[in-house]
Coordinates of all heavy atoms in Angstrom, one line a residue:
M244 N 2.7 -10.1 9.8 CA 2.9 -9.4 8.5 C 2.8 -7.9 8.9 O 2.1 -7.5 9.8 CB 1.5 -9.7 7.6 CG 1.7 -9.2 6.2 SD 0.3 -9.6 5.0 CE 0.0 -11.2 5.3
D245 N 3.5 -7.1 8.2 CA 3.6 -5.6 8.4 C 2.9 -4.9 7.4 O 2.4 -5.5 6.3 CB 5.1 -5.3 8.7 CG 5.9 -5.5 7.5 OD1 5.4 -5.9 6.3 OD2 7.0 -5.3 7.5
I246 N 2.9 -3.6 7.4 CA 2.3 -2.8 6.5 C 2.9 -2.9 5.1 O 2.1 -3.1 4.0 CB 2.4 -1.2 6.9 CG1 1.6 -1.1 8.1 CG2 1.9 -0.3 5.8 CD1 1.8 0.4 8.8
A247 N 4.2 -3.0 5.0 CA 4.8 -3.1 3.7 C 4.4 -4.5 3.1 O 4.1 -4.5 1.9 CB 6.4 -3.2 3.9
Q248 N 4.4 -5.5 3.8 CA 4.0 -6.8 3.2 C 2.5 -6.8 2.8 O 2.1 -7.4 1.8 CB 4.3 -8.0 4.3 CG 4.1 -9.3 3.6 CD 4.6 -10.4 4.6 OE1 5.0 -10.2 5.7 NE2 4.4 -11.6 4.1
A249 N 1.7 -6.2 3.7 CA 0.3 -6.0 3.3 C 0.0 -5.3 2.0 O -0.7 -5.9 1.1 CB -0.5 -5.3 4.3
F250 N 0.8 -4.4 1.6 CA 0.7 -3.7 0.4 C 1.3 -4.6 -0.7 O 0.7 -4.6 -1.8 CB 1.4 -2.3 0.4 CG 0.6 -1.2 1.1 CD1 1.3 -0.3 1.8 CD2 -0.7 -1.1 0.8 CE1 0.7 0.7 2.4 CE2 -1.4 -0.1 1.6 CZ -0.8 0.7 2.2
R251 N 2.4 -5.3 -0.5 CA 3.0 -6.2 -1.5 C 2.0 -7.2 -1.9 O 1.8 -7.6 -3.1 CB 4.3 -6.8 -1.0 CG 5.5 -5.8 -1.0 CD 6.8 -6.5 -0.8 NE 6.8 -7.4 0.3 CZ 7.2 -7.2 1.5 NH1 7.6 -5.8 1.8 NH2 7.3 -8.0 2.5
V252 N 1.4 -7.8 -0.8 CA 0.4 -8.9 -1.1 C -0.8 -8.4 -1.9 O -1.2 -9.1 -2.8 CB -0.1 -9.5 0.3 CG1 -1.3 -10.4 0.0 CG2 1.1 -10.4 0.9
A253 N -1.4 -7.2 -1.5 CA -2.4 -6.7 -2.3 C -2.1 -6.3 -3.7 O -2.8 -6.5 -4.6 CB -2.9 -5.4 -1.5
L254 N -0.9 -5.8 -3.9 CA -0.4 -5.5 -5.2 C -0.4 -6.8 -6.2 O -0.8 -6.8 -7.3 CB 1.0 -4.8 -5.3 CG 1.0 -3.4 -4.7 CD1 2.4 -3.0 -4.4 CD2 0.4 -2.5 -5.8
A255 N 0.1 -7.8 -5.5 CA 0.4 -9.1 -6.3 C -1.1 -9.7 -6.6 O -1.2 -10.1 -7.7 CB 1.3 -10.0 -5.4
K256 N -1.9 -9.7 -5.6 CA -3.3 -10.2 -5.8 C -4.0 -9.7 -6.9 O -4.7 -10.3 -7.6 CB -4.0 -10.2 -4.4 CG -3.8 -11.3 -3.5 CD -4.8 -11.2 -2.4 CE -4.5 -12.3 -1.3 NZ -5.5 -12.1 -0.1
Q257 N -3.8 -8.3 -6.9 CA -4.6 -7.5 -7.9 C -3.8 -7.3 -9.2 O -4.4 -6.6 -10.0 CB -5.0 -6.2 -7.3 CG -5.9 -6.4 -6.1 CD -6.4 -5.1 -5.5 OE1 -6.5 -4.0 -6.2 NE2 -6.7 -5.1 -4.2
Q258 N -2.6 -7.8 -9.2 CA -1.7 -7.5 -10.4 C -1.7 -6.2 -10.7 O -1.8 -5.8 -11.9 CB -2.3 -8.4 -11.6 CG -2.2 -9.9 -11.3 CD -2.7 -10.7 -12.5 OE1 -3.4 -10.2 -13.4 NE2 -2.5 -12.0 -12.4
V259 N -1.3 -5.4 -9.8 CA -1.2 -3.9 -9.9 C 0.4 -3.6 -9.6 O 0.9 -4.1 -8.6 CB -2.0 -3.1 -8.9 CG1 -1.6 -1.7 -8.9 CG2 -3.5 -3.3 -9.2
S260 N 1.0 -2.9 -10.5 CA 2.4 -2.6 -10.4 C 2.5 -1.5 -9.3 O 1.7 -0.7 -9.0 CB 3.0 -2.2 -11.7 OG 2.4 -0.9 -12.1
Q261 N 3.8 -1.3 -8.8 CA 4.0 -0.2 -8.0 C 3.9 1.1 -8.7 O 3.4 2.0 -8.2 CB 5.5 -0.3 -7.4 CG 5.7 -1.4 -6.5 CD 7.0 -1.5 -5.8 OE1 7.9 -0.9 -6.2 NE2 7.2 -2.5 -4.9
S262 N 4.3 1.1 -10.0 CA 4.1 2.4 -10.8 C 2.6 2.7 -10.9 O 2.3 3.9 -10.8 CB 4.7 2.1 -12.2 OG 6.0 1.9 -12.2
E263 N 1.8 1.8 -11.0 CA 0.3 2.0 -11.2 C -0.2 2.5 -9.8 O -1.0 3.5 -9.8 CB -0.4 0.7 -11.7 CG -1.9 0.9 -11.6 CD -2.4 2.0 -12.6 OE1 -1.8 2.4 -13.5 OE2 -3.7 2.4 -12.4
L264 N 0.1 1.9 -8.8 CA -0.2 2.4 -7.4 C 0.2 3.9 -7.3 O -0.5 4.7 -6.8 CB 0.3 1.5 -6.3 CG -0.1 2.0 -4.9 CD1 -1.6 2.1 -4.7 CD2 0.6 1.0 -3.8
A265 N 1.4 4.1 -7.7 CA 2.0 5.5 -7.5 C 1.1 6.5 -8.3 O 0.8 7.6 -7.9 CB 3.5 5.6 -8.0
R266 N 0.7 6.1 -9.5 CA 0.0 7.0 -10.3 C -1.4 7.2 -9.6 O -2.0 8.3 -9.6 CB -0.3 6.3 -11.7 CG -1.0 7.2 -12.7 CD -1.5 6.5 -13.9 NE -2.5 5.5 -13.6 CZ -3.8 5.7 -13.3 NH1 -4.3 6.9 -13.3 NH2 -4.6 4.7 -13.2
R267 N -2.0 6.1 -9.1 CA -3.4 6.2 -8.5 C -3.4 7.1 -7.3 O -4.4 7.8 -6.9 CB -3.8 4.8 -8.0 CG -4.2 3.9 -9.2 CD -4.6 2.6 -8.7 NE -4.9 1.6 -9.7 CZ -5.4 0.3 -9.6 NH1 -5.6 0.0 -8.3 NH2 -5.5 -0.5 -10.6
V268 N -2.2 7.1 -6.5 CA -2.2 7.9 -5.2 C -1.5 9.3 -5.5 O -1.1 9.9 -4.5 CB -1.7 7.1 -4.0 CG1 -2.5 5.9 -3.8 CG2 -0.1 6.7 -4.4
E269 N -1.0 9.5 -6.6 CA -0.2 10.8 -7.0 C 1.1 10.8 -6.2 O 1.3 11.9 -5.5 CB -1.1 12.0 -6.8 CG -2.4 12.0 -7.8 CD -3.3 13.2 -7.5 OE1 -3.2 13.8 -6.4 OE2 -4.1 13.4 -8.4
A270 N 1.9 9.8 -6.3 CA 3.1 9.7 -5.7 C 4.1 9.2 -6.7 O 3.8 8.9 -7.8 CB 3.1 8.8 -4.4
T271 N 5.4 9.2 -6.3 CA 6.5 8.7 -7.3 C 6.6 7.2 -7.0 O 6.3 6.7 -6.0 CB 7.8 9.3 -7.1 OG1 8.3 9.1 -5.8 CG2 7.7 10.9 -7.2
R272 N 7.1 6.5 -8.0 CA 7.3 5.1 -8.0 C 8.4 4.8 -6.9 O 8.2 3.8 -6.1 CB 7.6 4.5 -9.3 CG 7.6 3.0 -9.2 CD 8.4 2.2 -10.2 NE 9.9 2.6 -10.1 CZ 10.8 2.2 -9.3 NH1 10.4 1.5 -8.3 NH2 12.0 2.6 -9.3
P273 N 9.4 5.5 -6.9 CA 10.4 5.2 -5.9 C 9.9 5.4 -4.4 O 10.2 4.7 -3.5 CB 11.6 6.3 -6.1 CG 11.4 6.6 -7.5 CD 10.0 6.5 -7.8
F274 N 9.0 6.3 -4.2 CA 8.4 6.5 -2.8 C 7.6 5.3 -2.5 O 7.6 4.8 -1.4 CB 7.5 7.8 -3.0 CG 6.8 8.0 -1.6 CD1 7.5 8.5 -0.5 CD2 5.4 7.8 -1.5 CE1 6.8 8.7 0.7 CE2 4.8 7.9 -0.4 CZ 5.4 8.4 0.8
I275 N 6.8 4.8 -3.4 CA 5.9 3.7 -3.2 C 6.8 2.4 -3.0 O 6.6 1.5 -2.1 CB 4.9 3.4 -4.4 CG1 3.9 4.5 -4.5 CG2 4.3 2.0 -4.2 CD1 3.0 4.7 -3.2
C276 N 7.8 2.3 -3.7 CA 8.8 1.2 -3.6 C 9.4 1.2 -2.2 O 9.5 0.1 -1.6 CB 9.9 1.3 -4.7 SG 11.1 -0.1 -4.7
S277 N 9.8 2.4 -1.8 CA 10.4 2.4 -0.4 C 9.4 2.0 0.6 O 9.8 1.4 1.7 CB 10.9 3.8 0.0 OG 9.8 4.8 0.0
I278 N 8.1 2.2 0.5 CA 7.0 1.8 1.4 C 6.9 0.3 1.4 O 6.9 -0.4 2.4 CB 5.7 2.4 1.2 CG1 5.7 4.0 1.5 CG2 4.6 1.8 1.9 CD1 4.5 4.8 1.1
C279 N 6.8 -0.2 0.1 CA 6.6 -1.7 -0.1 C 7.9 -2.5 0.4 O 7.7 -3.6 0.7 CB 6.3 -2.0 -1.5 SG 4.7 -1.4 -2.1
N280 N 9.1 -1.9 0.4 CA 10.3 -2.6 0.8 C 10.4 -2.4 2.3 O 11.3 -3.0 2.9 CB 11.5 -2.0 0.2 CG 11.6 -2.4 -1.3 OD1 11.0 -3.4 -1.6 ND2 12.2 -1.6 -2.1
G281 N 9.5 -1.6 3.0 CA 9.7 -1.4 4.5 C 10.7 -0.4 4.8 O 11.0 -0.3 6.1
D282 N 11.4 0.2 3.9 CA 12.2 1.3 4.2 C 11.7 2.6 4.8 O 12.4 3.3 5.4 CB 13.1 1.7 2.9 CG 13.9 0.4 2.4 OD1 14.2 -0.4 3.2 OD2 14.1 0.4 1.2
R283 N 10.4 2.8 4.5 CA 9.7 3.9 4.9 C 8.3 3.7 5.3 O 7.6 2.7 4.8 CB 9.7 4.9 3.7 CG 9.1 6.1 3.8 CD 9.4 6.9 2.6 NE 9.2 8.3 2.9 CZ 9.7 9.3 2.4 NH1 10.3 9.3 1.3 NH2 9.5 10.5 2.8
Q284 N 7.8 4.3 6.4 CA 6.6 4.1 6.9 C 5.6 5.2 6.3 O 6.0 6.4 6.3 CB 6.4 4.3 8.3 CG 7.0 3.1 9.1 CD 6.3 1.9 8.9 OE1 5.1 1.8 8.9 NE2 7.0 0.7 8.6
P285 N 4.5 4.9 5.7 CA 3.7 5.8 5.0 C 3.0 6.7 6.1 O 2.7 6.2 7.2 CB 2.6 5.0 4.2 CG 2.6 3.7 5.0 CD 3.9 3.5 5.5
S286 N 2.7 7.9 5.8 CA 1.9 8.8 6.7 C 0.5 8.1 6.7 O 0.1 7.4 5.9 CB 1.8 10.2 6.2 OG 1.1 10.2 4.9
F287 N -0.3 8.6 7.6 CA -1.8 8.1 7.8 C -2.5 8.4 6.5 O -3.1 7.6 6.0 CB -2.4 8.7 8.9 CG -3.8 8.3 9.1 CD1 -4.1 7.0 9.6 CD2 -4.9 9.1 8.8 CE1 -5.4 6.6 9.8 CE2 -6.2 8.6 8.9 CZ -6.4 7.3 9.4
D288 N -2.3 9.6 6.0 CA -2.9 10.0 4.7 C -2.5 9.0 3.6 O -3.4 8.6 2.8 CB -2.8 11.5 4.4 CG -3.4 12.5 5.3 OD1 -4.4 12.1 6.1 OD2 -3.0 13.6 5.3
M289 N -1.3 8.8 3.5 CA -0.8 8.0 2.4 C -1.3 6.5 2.5 O -1.6 5.8 1.6 CB 0.7 8.0 2.3 CG 1.3 7.2 1.1 SD 0.6 7.7 -0.5 CE 1.3 9.3 -0.8
M290 N -1.4 6.1 3.8 CA -2.0 4.8 4.1 C -3.4 4.6 3.6 O -3.8 3.7 3.0 CB -1.9 4.4 5.5 CG -1.0 3.3 5.9 SD -1.1 2.6 7.5 CE -0.9 4.0 8.5
V291 N -4.1 5.6 3.9 CA -5.6 5.7 3.5 C -5.6 5.7 1.9 O -6.4 5.0 1.4 CB -6.3 7.0 4.1 CG1 -7.7 7.1 3.5 CG2 -6.4 6.8 5.6
K292 N -4.8 6.5 1.3 CA -4.9 6.7 -0.2 C -4.5 5.3 -0.8 O -5.2 4.9 -1.7 CB -3.9 7.7 -0.7 CG -4.3 9.0 -0.6 CD -3.3 10.0 -1.0 CE -3.8 11.5 -0.8 NZ -2.7 12.4 -1.5
C293 N -3.5 4.7 -0.3 CA -3.0 3.4 -0.9 C -4.1 2.2 -0.6 O -4.4 1.5 -1.5 CB -1.7 3.1 -0.2 SG -0.3 3.9 -0.9
A294 N -4.7 2.3 0.6 CA -5.6 1.3 0.9 C -6.9 1.5 0.0 O -7.4 0.5 -0.5 CB -6.1 1.5 2.4
N295 N -7.3 2.7 -0.2 CA -8.4 2.9 -1.1 C -8.1 2.6 -2.6 O -8.9 2.0 -3.3 CB -8.8 4.4 -1.2 CG -9.6 4.8 0.2 OD1 -10.1 4.0 0.8 ND2 -9.5 6.0 0.5
A296 N -6.9 2.9 -3.0 CA -6.4 2.5 -4.3 C -6.4 1.0 -4.6 O -6.6 0.5 -5.7 CB -5.1 3.2 -4.7
L297 N -6.1 0.3 -3.6 CA -6.1 -1.1 -3.6 C -7.2 -1.8 -3.0 O -7.3 -3.1 -2.9 CB -4.8 -1.7 -2.8 CG -3.4 -1.2 -3.4 CD1 -2.3 -1.5 -2.4 CD2 -3.3 -1.8 -4.8
D298 N -8.4 -1.1 -2.8 CA -9.6 -1.7 -2.4 C -9.4 -2.5 -1.0 O -10.0 -3.6 -0.9 CB -10.3 -2.6 -3.4 CG -10.8 -1.8 -4.6 OD1 -11.2 -0.7 -4.4 OD2 -10.6 -2.3 -5.7
M299 N -8.6 -1.9 -0.2 CA -8.4 -2.6 1.2 C -9.1 -1.7 2.2 O -9.2 -0.5 2.0 CB -6.9 -2.5 1.4 CG -6.0 -3.4 0.5 SD -4.3 -3.2 1.0 CE -4.2 -4.3 2.5
K300 N -9.4 -2.4 3.3 CA -9.9 -1.7 4.4 C -8.8 -1.2 5.3 O -7.7 -1.8 5.2 CB -10.8 -2.6 5.2 CG -12.1 -2.9 4.5 CD -12.9 -3.9 5.3 CE -14.2 -4.3 4.7 NZ -14.1 -4.7 3.4
L301 N -8.9 0.0 5.8 CA -7.8 0.5 6.5 C -7.2 -0.4 7.7 O -6.0 -0.5 7.8 CB -8.1 1.9 7.2 CG -7.0 2.7 7.8 CD1 -5.9 2.9 6.7 CD2 -7.5 4.1 8.3
W302 N -8.1 -1.1 8.4 CA -7.7 -2.0 9.4 C -6.8 -3.1 8.9 O -5.9 -3.6 9.5 CB -8.9 -2.6 10.2 CG -9.8 -3.5 9.5 CD1 -10.9 -3.1 8.8 CD2 -9.6 -4.9 9.2 NE1 -11.5 -4.3 8.2 CE2 -10.7 -5.4 8.4 CE3 -8.6 -5.8 9.6 CZ2 -10.8 -6.7 8.0 CZ3 -8.8 -7.1 9.2 CH2 -9.9 -7.6 8.5
E303 N -7.1 -3.6 7.6 CA -6.2 -4.6 7.0 C -4.7 -4.0 6.8 O -3.9 -4.9 7.1 CB -6.7 -5.0 5.6 CG -8.1 -5.7 5.6 CD -8.6 -5.9 4.2 OE1 -8.7 -5.0 3.4 OE2 -8.9 -7.1 4.0
V304 N -4.7 -2.8 6.5 CA -3.3 -2.2 6.3 C -2.6 -2.1 7.7 O -1.5 -2.5 7.9 CB -3.3 -0.8 5.6 CG1 -2.0 -0.2 5.6 CG2 -4.0 -0.9 4.3
V305 N -3.4 -1.5 8.7 CA -2.7 -1.3 10.0 C -2.4 -2.6 10.6 O -1.3 -2.6 11.2 CB -3.8 -0.4 10.9 CG1 -3.3 -0.4 12.3 CG2 -4.0 0.9 10.2
K306 N -3.2 -3.6 10.6 CA -2.9 -4.9 11.1 C -2.0 -5.7 10.3 O -1.6 -6.9 10.6 CB -4.2 -5.7 11.3 CG -5.0 -5.0 12.5 CD -6.2 -6.0 13.0 CE -5.5 -7.0 13.8 NZ -6.3 -7.6 14.8
G307 N -1.6 -5.2 9.1 CA -0.6 -5.8 8.3 C -1.3 -7.0 7.3 O -0.6 -7.8 7.1
G308 N -2.5 -6.8 7.1 CA -3.3 -7.7 6.3 C -3.8 -8.9 7.0 O -4.5 -9.7 6.4
E309 N -3.6 -9.0 8.3 CA -4.1 -10.1 9.1 C -5.5 -9.8 9.5 O -5.9 -8.7 9.9 CB -3.3 -10.3 10.3 CG -1.8 -10.6 10.0 CD -1.0 -10.7 11.3 OE1 -1.5 -10.4 12.3 OE2 0.2 -10.9 11.1
E310 N -6.3 -10.9 9.6 CA -7.7 -10.7 10.0 C -7.7 -11.0 11.6 O -7.0 -11.8 12.0 CB -8.6 -11.8 9.4 CG -8.9 -11.3 7.9 CD -9.9 -12.0 7.3 OE1 -10.9 -12.4 7.8 OE2 -9.8 -12.3 6.1

């Protein structure tokens, strides 16, 4: 699993839309969409913001959601 998939899985589990995540991290929906599609790698700061917004631990994001 990669970073994009880790975010997609977390969004689905928590029933949070990409638009809602974008609002929580003060980004645009197209930007979040590009991260979730794997078209773009988030900066470290954005990874932290997204992880916090989705109640994920940073290691879960970095390892792609794998334990």
Side-chain angles (χ1 to χ4, degrees):
M244 193 180 317
D245 60 10
I246 292 170
Q248 189 173 0
F250 282 141
R251 286 193 310 270
V252 168
L254 287 168
K256 276 186 181 178
Q257 296 181 29
Q258 298 180 343
V259 173
S260 68
Q261 291 179 358
S262 296
E263 175 60 20
L264 178 58
R266 187 192 65 74
R267 291 179 186 182
V268 300
E269 299 177 341
T271 64
R272 192 206 55 77
F274 178 75
I275 296 299
C276 183
S277 68
I278 291 172
C279 290
N280 288 338
D282 297 330
R283 183 174 200 157
Q284 288 295 316
S286 67
F287 181 77
D288 289 341
M289 184 54 67
M290 246 193 300
V291 171
K292 285 181 180 182
C293 289
N295 288 336
L297 294 171
D298 295 324
M299 296 175 77
K300 292 176 176 54
L301 188 57
W302 67 263
E303 292 175 306
V304 177
V305 173
K306 292 192 74 150
E309 299 173 0
E310 288 192 35

